[in-house]
Amino acid sequence: GAGVSQSPSNKVTEKGKDVELRCDPISGHTALYWYRQSLGQGLEFLIYFQGNSAPDKSGLPSDRFSAERTGGSVSTLTIQRTQQEDSAVYLCASSPSLNEQFFGPGTRLTVL
Amino acid sequence: GQSLEQPSEVTAVEGAIVQINCTYQTSGFYGLSWYQQHDGGAPTFLSYNALDGLEETGRFSSFLSRSDSYGYLLLQELQMKDSASYFCAVRDPWGSGNTPLVFGKGTRLSVIA
């Protein structure tokens, strides 16, 4: 595809369940980023990948959050034992350069 | 760490000019970016300033003063479609290669007739 894609677009889950969010970056973009955005708020950085490695995991809010990237392409963000405070829009971005990031449409996660 | 300050809301009249300011406090600095986000949409890149001065792209301009740790986004000939949230973002100086951006909380611009 031409842009960053994310799936699912919406996810409703029960508290305590695990969820997996997927991001397909733009082909050729080596850097991939995950952010979280609560309603009306700014972007909270979670993690980024350069290739398949994640040099910085400090943004992950707890050990319930993990992410991986395989083949330098698709990335998954996994949230275990979801809590209501995890409800937010999870945005993925990929980058071809140091200055510009291309964002996907996001996954809206609702934890009941 | 880094912190960025920008007004939470701005209202301006269609056809007018509006300036959205951003001040930052960082231990290091590589550049200031601006992103636009419409309600329900994803952020889209507008501009990037690494050096002092004004960068112009059509109706939008972005300014940076590194000595003042300050920048702004200038929108001219405002249109209703410019109603959106605008985020400033600073490139974090640690790490190498594609370092992550630290975003401000955003300024919600409302353009009125």
Side-chain angles (χ1 to χ4, degrees):
Chain A
V4 178
S5 61
Q6 294 185 243
S7 61
S9 55
N10 280 285
K11 178 69 177 179
V12 180
T13 190
E14 293 179 346
K15 177 182 174 182
K17 299 285 189 182
D18 297 352
V19 296
E20 191 172 277
L21 313 179
R22 176 188 170 105
C23 172
D24 283 87
I26 294 173
S27 178
H29 286 192
T30 57
L32 184 149
Y33 309 79
W34 283 99
Y35 297 89
R36 180 169 70 174
Q37 186 175 35
S38 299
L39 187 62
Q41 299 298 308
L43 293 160
E44 176 188 3
F45 167 73
L46 298 178
I47 190 171
Y48 91 100
F49 291 88
Q50 181 64 33
N52 289 334
S53 64
D56 175 32
K57 299 181 179 180
S58 62
L60 293 175
S62 78
D63 58 8
R64 297 184 295 104
F65 287 71
S66 63
E68 65 175 16
R69 188 181 186 193
T70 55
S73 181
V74 172
S75 176
T76 55
L77 177 69
T78 302
I79 309 173
Q80 296 179 308
R81 306 181 302 281
T82 52
Q83 303 294 313
Q84 288 183 333
E85 62 262 29
D86 299 334
S87 296
V89 175
Y90 289 80
L91 291 160
C92 173
S94 68
S95 178
S97 71
L98 301 178
N99 306 330
E100 180 176 359
Q101 296 187 3
F102 293 81
F103 284 82
T107 293
R108 181 176 299 278
L109 174 65
T110 303
V111 182
L112 301 176
Chain B
Q2 287 82 21
S3 68
L4 291 87
E5 295 291 331
Q6 52 181 130
S8 58
E9 295 183 0
V10 173
T11 300
V13 178
E14 189 176 17
I17 299 173
V18 70
Q19 178 174 311
I20 299 174
N21 299 322
C22 175
T23 57
Y24 57 89
Q25 289 186 326
T26 62
S27 55
F29 178 81
Y30 280 174
L32 183 71
S33 301
W34 288 93
Y35 285 76
Q36 178 192 58
Q37 185 179 30
H38 287 98
D39 286 347
T44 56
F45 173 82
L46 290 178
S47 66
Y48 174 76
N49 293 68
L51 303 175
D52 291 351
L54 190 68
E55 296 280 342
E56 299 181 58
T57 307
R59 294 188 297 113
F60 292 5
S61 302
S62 56
F63 173 82
L64 174 65
S65 170
R66 288 174 296 171
S67 61
D68 296 322
S69 297
Y70 164 75
Y72 65 73
L73 180 69
L74 190 73
L75 295 83
Q76 303 182 67
E77 301 173 18
L78 281 173
Q79 301 175 10
M80 301 299 285
K81 67 178 182 180
D82 297 331
S83 293
S85 291
Y86 293 84
F87 294 89
C88 59
V90 167
R91 278 188 56 211
D92 195 293
W94 44 262
S96 61
N98 285 325
T99 56
L101 298 178
V102 177
F103 284 84
K105 294 187 183 301
T107 298
R108 186 171 183 84
L109 171 65
S110 298
V111 180
I112 59 176

